[in-house]
Amino acid sequence: MEQPLESEAAEMRGQGGASLGEKAREPEEDSDDRRRYRAWMAEKFSSLRAGDAWPGGQENFLYGPTTLLFSRTCAKVRVVIGEEGLELPPGEGPPFSEIPGQAGQLAALFQPDDRTKQRPGTVVLQGPMGIGKTVLARKLVLDWARGRLCQEVFQYVFYFNLGDMDEEAEKSLAELIAGEWPGPPVPVPEILARPQSLLFVLDGLEELKPFLDGPEAELCRDWSEPRPLAGLLQGLLRRALLPEACLLLVVRPSGWARLARWLGCPQLVEVLGLAKADREEYFHRFFTDRASSRAALAAVRDNETLATLCRAPLVCWLICTGLKQRLDDGEDLHQGPLTATRLYVSYVTGLFRGRATPSEAQLRGLCRLAADSVLAHSTGFDGSDLERHGLAAADLEPFLSTHVLLRCGGGYAFLHLTLQEFFAALYSAMEVTRSPSAAHTVQDLTTELEKYSGVDTSFLSLAVHFLFGLLNPECARLLEAELGCRLSPQLRRDLLLWATVFGGSASPSLCALSLHHFFFSLYETQDGAFVTEAMDHFRDLQLVLWSKVDLLVSSFCLRHCRHLEKLVLHPQREVFHDEDPELQAGSPAEAGPQAPDLAASRWRALFSVLSTNAALRELELSFSSMSDLCMKSLSDQLQREDCHLQSLRVRQTAFVPFTCGDFPLALIGRHHLVYLYLDLQLGDDGMKLLCEALRHPQCNLQYLRLKSCGLTEACCPDLALALTANQSLSHLNLEGNQLLDSGMQVLCEALRRPENHLQKLVLPECGLTDVGCQDLSAALTSGRNLTHLCLAHNSLHDSGVKILSEALKCPECPLQRLTLWSCGLTAVGCQDLSAALCSNKNLTHLDLGENNLGDEGLKLLCAALGQPQCNLQALDLLVCFLTEACCQALSDALILNQSLRSLNLGHNALKDEGVKLLCQALRHPDCQLQRLGLKSLNVAQNALWDEGVRLLCETLEQPECRLQILALWREAFSEDIQRVLRAAQESKPHLIITGDWYSHEPEEYGFSWWMET
């Protein structure tokens, strides 16, 4: 039957969802077909998991009422435990912290939007594998079949498990519907007569890799026409087939990323799993006595890795089962850290107590099937896989009877992905598989992990963690004693070899995801000696701490990193919360004085690396927000005698006040700590405390950078006192603080005093004007120490430079480097600077970048450059609005000047004609520059064409030219010219042609000193 084409309005309605008016239609009389179908679906979905029932018959404890919370961008779904049939009203139950919106039930997924009055046409249920998406989708179908959900919205709901379908077979939508009907006859025309009353639940899209990753297929528009599965699905997703029907897609994050191109703007729903209070409630239900439940809860609270795993409902059950096994064996759960590997070993070995254990061949076969599936990124296997490995269906019976495996359609699947990963790791570790002919080894899993760096790492990350966790002697003992499974003695050697290679290649640019998995793997071993060897090659680390679990794991690994020299930490906001905002459930169990103690112990453990690692010299902390406990723990560690830290950088990206606390005390008596960089809202009150520390005779800071710290002129009296009292501080950077001219006046009084030892002063964007230049000028002529001054991005104008130039003319002025970047200068200011250059013997570096000097301004400067008494070595004229008209004067000056080594002419329109004139100077026989050499010339972005570059290359190849660095964007030129540039570079091995001027500047000619001070 050919489906008629929809009108444009209908198509738009199908894309955005059904209108409110359509949704609120008068209910029709229920038909026998609908009643029969609902009864059949209710029976079919009475078990929320496909295949076998939940182990132990404890299914309904996890999926009672489900609460939704709608935020601005995504509906956050949390599974809430409740008794079957007890529906909570919207908003009831534990609150969601810091997420705007309102709570509701599953039916709210398909309610019309308050603004558009339209029902969402497509809902994407996304979350990591194993979190409970499929069970949640099946619960929605079950609730609909039982008359509890969306009866007035949907006449029919069809659930398709795409993983069980043949991608190659051609079927029509009518045939798919018939396959999900109780039996003939199937009233397909009646079902499809009102497409706006249909809901299709599509689960398992990730199993169809050719469909997701392949090209767009020919769309199916006729529900009766047989098509390959790809065309049929794309027809539904792209709204060519039944555009008014609703879709519920169950996907992992990687699946959603690949489906997005076809879906437009669906309603995104993230499944967050069990909240903390819900997990605790289940623990109390699972354990028969209160003492056991308290002990188990305490063990999980102390191990946040386990607490995070417990968000997945079935994993929560697995971990409880493993904990119960240990308690039944009389073990103390607080004796030694609990790991996921240890609990899974307890769970698996406990399954076969009192039962016949599987044979070695059966266990090896299961483990190999698991490894195959993990490496193929698959969640199941079938009879063909058994046949390929020489296994029979009877070989799986021990695992089916214990619910390790479930029957799914015509194949098999593990009870949970984490179990599949555990057995995959076990296969790589088993002694019987450690032969040259073994299908999978340690290298297979670890190599795959390195390659598989997309948004979905669920197939491999935990498998590798388990592999490392099997190094634990207790795990090996239990596996051999209970299952007769011996682990290879070579496992430790192989994993250490891989870890050593991984660590040896580590760099600051190392993939954060890989490093994250590497640390979690090391944590699973709980073997200090192994971790110490594995971390031996790390010298420089950058870590992103997303949660308290990362904090725990990183602390463990860093304690064993003996040779670390630099550590950069990026703690995220969630680290500072007692629980993730999405999952916060207001549990009273962790309220009280023990919560701050626990948080403080976490930070103490992390910062203990400052005292346990004697090689650590640099620490950088970049926070979105921070807590007092964090800073107190840092301060305590900085004050330890065995802390050898030399450089500390602290950045806070959130615009909130920073509480100093005991932090300034850490600067006193620490002779190693010489560099401090703060980029946070310190404020004048915080600066007052910092200045007290600076005045202390045992404060040894040499470099202090306070970038955008919210300081004003009010802090300048305290700072001035500190400058005169402190005997070590030589570099001070106050960039981005509004000190104003009044504050500058106070600071300059300190600069004039002989007790002041400051050598470098950096004041960009400090709100200074020409008024403040008068005080600066007096300080320059009476002080003896200040050699570097940066006044970039201040509105000094020509009038302010005139005042400074008078100071520069004085022979007593010690200034060597002056930065006037973007200070509003013109050619008028160049007249005064030119006079100063002719008489000043100390000034060697002048930065005039981003000022509108023009050709006339440069000609005035060239007049000074041509004088023998000018000692300028480096001149920066970046973005000074120069043209080829000034190049003759510059060429003449270069011939006469005997000191200039570095010249930056970037981002000026010199063109080919200007470069020709410069080349004449470089080749001039009387040019002293040829003898002394021109160390740096930047002609990038100067409207050069091939002719100018070719002439420049000919000059570079001359033996008289001693140019070492040429900043030029070679990619902007033709292939022919790029070959000419390469030839010029090959002719002089010392020559560097680069597009980055500042990354190759030698210290003696550098202009970026003020950016780094």
Side-chain angles (χ1 to χ4, degrees):
M1 178 184 297
E2 182 67 24
Q3 185 175 320
L5 294 175
E6 303 288 340
S7 66
E8 182 177 351
E11 289 185 6
M12 292 296 292
R13 189 164 62 248
Q15 293 280 350
S19 69
L20 183 59
E22 289 172 336
K23 181 260 171 189
R25 65 186 185 279
E26 289 295 324
E28 297 182 359
E29 183 180 349
D30 212 3
S31 69
D32 291 339
D33 286 329
R34 286 200 291 270
R35 284 193 293 269
R36 183 163 70 103
Y37 177 69
R38 284 200 306 271
W40 181 76
M41 289 289 283
E43 182 180 358
K44 179 179 178 180
F45 283 79
S46 60
S47 171
L48 292 177
R49 288 184 57 84
D52 294 341
W54 193 289
Q58 300 192 52
E59 177 179 324
N60 65 347
F61 73 87
L62 280 175
Y63 288 92
T66 302
T67 299
L68 305 185
L69 188 91
F70 293 95
S71 68
R72 294 187 182 94
T73 58
C74 183
K76 303 291 185 179
V77 180
R78 190 190 72 195
V79 178
V80 179
I81 299 173
E83 295 296 342
E84 187 72 18
L86 295 181
E87 293 291 342
L88 296 176
E92 187 172 310
F96 284 78
S97 173
E98 300 183 12
I99 303 180
Q102 60 184 6
Q105 303 302 308
L106 276 176
L109 289 175
F110 298 99
Q111 292 300 315
D113 182 84
D114 291 337
R115 182 175 55 86
T116 65
K117 307 302 181 185
Q118 288 190 332
R119 192 178 69 212
T122 302
V123 176
V124 178
L125 198 65
Q126 66 160 329
M129 179 172 280
I131 200 67
K133 302 182 299 298
T134 291
V135 178
L136 196 60
R138 291 175 66 87
K139 172 179 168 52
L140 184 147
V141 175
L142 177 63
D143 285 350
W144 171 83
R146 289 178 173 175
R148 299 174 179 172
L149 185 71
C150 298
Q151 285 284 333
E152 75 285 0
V153 180
F154 302 120
Q155 290 184 359
Y156 291 99
V157 175
F158 293 96
Y159 179 94
F160 297 128
N161 186 354
L162 302 177
D164 293 339
M165 294 185 181
D166 185 352
E167 294 182 58
E168 304 299 327
E170 293 192 1
K171 285 189 177 183
S172 66
L173 180 60
E175 290 176 292
L176 292 185
I177 290 174
E180 296 297 323
W181 193 259
V186 185
V188 174
E190 175 197 325
I191 293 170
L192 300 181
R194 300 187 64 87
Q196 68 270 25
S197 300
L198 298 178
L199 171 64
F200 295 107
V201 182
L202 305 180
D203 195 357
L205 282 161
E206 287 85 358
E207 303 297 324
L208 309 178
K209 294 180 179 60
F211 163 69
L212 287 178
D213 301 328
E216 292 185 355
E218 182 181 354
L219 297 183
C220 177
R221 300 176 183 275
D222 183 351
W223 52 261
S224 64
E225 180 183 353
R227 285 292 187 86
L229 192 56
L232 194 62
L233 290 176
Q234 286 194 30
L236 285 171
L237 296 177
R238 296 167 63 186
R239 297 298 178 181
L241 179 63
L242 301 181
E244 292 183 336
C246 286
L247 302 177
L248 176 64
L249 311 181
V250 183
V251 296
R252 298 191 292 273
S254 60
W256 153 238
R258 289 181 284 177
L259 286 171
R261 54 179 169 156
W262 295 327
L263 298 183
C265 297
Q267 166 124 318
L268 292 179
V269 179
E270 182 182 0
V271 181
L272 299 172
L274 294 172
K276 181 180 177 182
D278 307 324
R279 299 194 299 266
E280 292 187 355
E281 182 181 351
Y282 174 60
F283 269 67
H284 289 305
R285 294 186 184 191
F286 183 92
F287 292 95
T288 55
D289 62 284
R290 191 166 183 81
S292 296
S293 65
R294 282 201 302 263
L297 269 174
V300 171
R301 285 199 198 107
D302 291 344
N303 188 322
E304 293 169 65
T305 305
L306 296 179
T308 300
L309 285 173
C310 280
R311 290 179 183 175
L314 184 50
V315 177
C316 185
W317 177 82
L318 289 173
I319 287 176
C320 283
T321 305
L323 289 170
K324 186 176 185 300
Q325 185 67 56
R326 297 194 66 180
L327 287 171
D328 290 345
D329 290 342
E331 296 184 35
D332 184 356
L333 297 183
H334 286 283
Q335 212 161 37
L338 280 174
T339 64
T341 309
R342 179 67 177 84
L343 284 181
Y344 272 67
V345 168
S346 294
Y347 170 75
V348 170
T349 55
L351 290 176
F352 296 99
R353 290 190 178 179
R355 297 172 180 257
T357 58
S359 67
E360 182 182 281
Q362 289 173 327
L363 181 59
R364 183 175 67 251
L366 178 76
C367 292
R368 184 163 185 174
L369 287 168
D372 279 349
S373 297
V374 165
L375 294 179
H377 309 155
S378 174
T379 58
F381 52 91
D382 56 24
S384 63
D385 298 305
L386 296 179
E387 184 178 347
R388 188 172 67 254
H389 293 306
L391 297 173
D395 291 323
L396 302 183
E397 190 54 40
F399 310 107
L400 289 166
S401 62
T402 53
H403 298 285
V404 169
L405 290 178
L406 302 175
R407 289 185 176 88
C408 295
Y412 306 88
F414 283 85
L415 177 66
H416 194 267
L417 174 69
T418 53
L419 275 175
Q420 177 176 305
E421 292 173 303
F422 174 80
F423 283 104
L426 188 56
Y427 181 72
S428 291
M430 291 170 71
E431 187 174 36
V432 292
T433 63
R434 306 304 294 249
S435 64
S437 60
H440 305 297
T441 62
V442 171
Q443 287 79 6
D444 291 317
L445 286 179
T446 52
T447 301
E448 278 295 308
L449 178 60
E450 291 176 55
K451 293 190 297 183
Y452 197 60
S453 57
V455 293
D456 181 11
T457 57
S458 57
F459 277 98
L460 285 168
S461 57
L462 194 55
V464 177
H465 300 169
F466 282 140
L467 188 58
F468 276 77
L470 291 172
L471 286 174
N472 187 282
E474 182 60 21
C475 292
R477 185 194 65 78
L478 264 178
L479 286 169
E480 184 168 0
E482 301 287 345
L483 295 181
C485 176
R486 296 185 306 277
L487 302 186
S488 170
Q490 299 177 9
L491 178 63
R492 181 185 180 90
R493 183 203 64 184
D494 288 350
L495 287 178
L496 186 59
L497 177 61
W498 177 82
T500 302
V501 172
F502 181 87
S505 63
S507 67
S509 61
L510 183 69
C511 173
L513 182 65
S514 298
L515 191 59
H516 176 271
H517 289 312
F518 180 67
F519 271 34
F520 267 76
S521 297
L522 295 180
Y523 179 80
E524 278 294 310
T525 68
Q526 288 300 307
D527 185 335
F530 178 87
V531 177
T532 298
E533 287 189 69
M535 298 289 294
D536 201 52
H537 294 275
F538 285 94
R539 300 291 184 274
D540 189 335
L541 276 176
Q542 293 189 29
L543 300 176
V544 179
L545 306 177
W546 296 103
S547 66
K548 295 187 291 294
V549 181
D550 293 329
L551 196 63
L552 175 75
V553 170
S554 298
S555 300
F556 173 78
C557 294
L558 290 174
R559 278 202 307 272
H560 300 285
C561 194
R562 298 176 300 181
H563 301 297
L564 190 64
E565 298 172 0
K566 180 179 179 179
L567 176 61
V568 181
L569 297 174
H570 298 277
Q572 302 303 297
R573 180 174 59 92
E574 289 78 5
V575 176
F576 298 94
H577 288 68
D578 285 340
E579 191 175 22
D580 292 350
E582 297 91 345
L583 300 172
Q584 192 167 357
S587 169
E590 207 171 338
Q594 69 269 29
D597 293 342
L598 181 59
S601 67
R602 295 186 192 115
W603 291 112
R604 280 196 301 270
L606 180 68
F607 291 129
S608 66
V609 67
L610 298 180
S611 54
T612 58
N613 191 323
L616 189 62
R617 294 293 180 266
E618 297 181 58
L619 174 64
E620 181 175 333
L621 302 172
S622 181
F623 298 88
S624 57
S625 62
M626 66 180 73
S627 66
D628 295 344
L629 289 173
C630 167
M631 291 310 299
K632 176 170 174 48
S633 298
L634 174 62
S635 302
D636 291 344
Q637 289 297 321
L638 288 172
Q639 295 179 68
R640 289 176 59 100
E641 290 295 331
D642 47 3
C643 174
H644 298 90
L645 199 69
Q646 297 177 358
S647 172
L648 175 63
R649 298 170 181 254
V650 184
R651 291 186 177 94
Q652 180 170 311
T653 57
F655 196 76
V656 293
F658 169 70
T659 305
C660 280
D662 297 332
F663 179 68
L665 298 177
L667 307 179
I668 300 173
R670 306 276 72 81
H671 64 279
H672 295 290
L673 189 62
V674 296
Y675 185 106
L676 178 62
Y677 173 14
L678 300 180
D679 182 357
L680 39 75
Q681 287 300 297
L682 183 65
D684 293 330
D685 292 338
M687 187 61 182
K688 186 179 185 68
L689 296 174
L690 186 59
C691 288
E692 290 179 9
L694 290 173
R695 291 200 300 269
H696 197 282
Q698 291 186 335
C699 177
N700 294 309
L701 276 185
Q702 299 175 19
Y703 301 81
L704 178 60
R705 183 173 183 179
L706 304 173
K707 180 181 179 183
S708 302
C709 286
L711 308 181
T712 70
E713 69 272 22
C715 75
C716 290
D718 293 308
L719 181 56
L721 288 175
L723 291 178
T724 55
N726 189 286
Q727 300 298 302
S728 61
L729 193 66
S730 59
H731 299 61
L732 178 62
N733 186 327
L734 298 171
E735 177 182 357
N737 294 285
Q738 290 299 298
L739 305 182
L740 307 181
D741 295 325
S742 55
M744 196 67 245
Q745 180 181 15
V746 177
L747 291 181
C748 286
E749 292 175 4
L751 294 176
R752 291 198 294 267
R753 298 184 59 131
E755 303 94 323
N756 167 59
H757 295 275
L758 207 61
Q759 297 174 11
K760 297 183 180 181
L761 180 60
V762 182
L763 300 169
E765 297 182 86
C766 287
L768 307 182
T769 70
D770 55 347
V771 176
C773 291
Q774 196 66 54
D775 298 298
L776 270 171
S777 181
L780 290 173
T781 53
S782 34
R784 293 293 178 268
N785 297 314
L786 195 64
T787 58
H788 293 59
L789 178 62
C790 174
L791 299 172
H793 300 288
N794 288 292
S795 300
L796 307 184
H797 301 296
D798 295 325
S799 54
V801 170
K802 181 179 181 65
I803 297 171
L804 291 175
S805 297
E806 291 301 317
L808 292 174
K809 292 177 184 177
C810 295
E812 298 86 5
C813 178
L815 205 62
Q816 299 173 10
R817 300 192 183 193
L818 176 62
T819 298
L820 298 173
W821 179 281
S822 189
C823 286
L825 309 188
T826 68
V828 176
C830 292
Q831 182 70 55
D832 299 299
L833 282 173
S834 180
L837 290 175
C838 290
S839 56
N840 188 290
K841 300 293 184 183
N842 295 320
L843 193 66
T844 58
H845 292 65
L846 180 61
D847 186 347
L848 301 176
E850 214 171 272
N851 287 291
N852 191 5
L853 306 183
D855 294 329
E856 293 306 314
L858 182 55
K859 289 177 181 178
L860 290 170
L861 293 175
C862 287
L865 289 174
Q867 299 300 316
Q869 62 268 36
C870 177
N871 289 328
L872 205 64
Q873 296 177 13
L875 177 62
D876 196 318
L877 298 171
L878 187 74
V879 198
C880 286
F881 302 92
L882 309 178
T883 72
E884 68 273 22
C886 70
C887 288
Q888 185 62 62
L890 181 56
S891 180
D892 295 340
L894 290 177
I895 294 173
L896 295 173
N897 188 281
Q898 300 183 15
S899 61
L900 196 67
R901 300 290 187 274
S902 178
L903 178 63
N904 188 350
L905 297 171
H907 295 273
N908 290 290
L910 302 186
K911 301 182 180 177
D912 290 345
E913 292 77 9
V915 172
K916 289 178 185 177
L917 292 171
L918 293 178
C919 289
Q920 290 175 11
L922 293 174
R923 291 193 299 245
H924 196 282
D926 297 331
C927 179
Q928 298 299 315
L929 190 63
Q930 294 177 359
R931 180 174 60 82
L932 297 173
L934 186 64
K935 294 259 181 174
S936 300
L937 172 63
N938 183 6
V939 289
Q941 290 293 291
N942 275 309
L944 281 178
W945 300 102
D946 287 2
E947 182 183 357
V949 178
R950 196 180 298 276
L951 180 61
L952 185 60
C953 288
E954 292 175 1
T955 303
L956 294 175
E957 293 175 353
Q958 298 297 316
E960 298 86 1
C961 181
R962 299 181 181 178
L963 203 64
Q964 295 184 5
I965 298 175
L966 172 63
L968 189 72
W969 286 346
R970 64 173 78 199
E971 293 80 5
F973 302 103
S974 66
E975 266 306 319
D976 182 51
I977 288 301
Q978 291 189 44
R979 282 193 294 271
V980 173
L981 285 168
R982 286 194 293 271
Q985 196 165 4
E986 290 170 1
S987 68
K988 289 193 172 181
H990 67 275
L991 179 64
I992 297 174
I993 301 179
T994 175
D996 188 353
W997 168 258
Y998 293 109
S999 66
H1000 290 91
E1001 61 177 15
E1003 169 61 26
E1004 64 268 28
Y1005 308 122
F1007 291 103
S1008 59
W1009 64 270
W1010 60 276
M1011 303 177 190
E1012 301 165 355
T1013 300

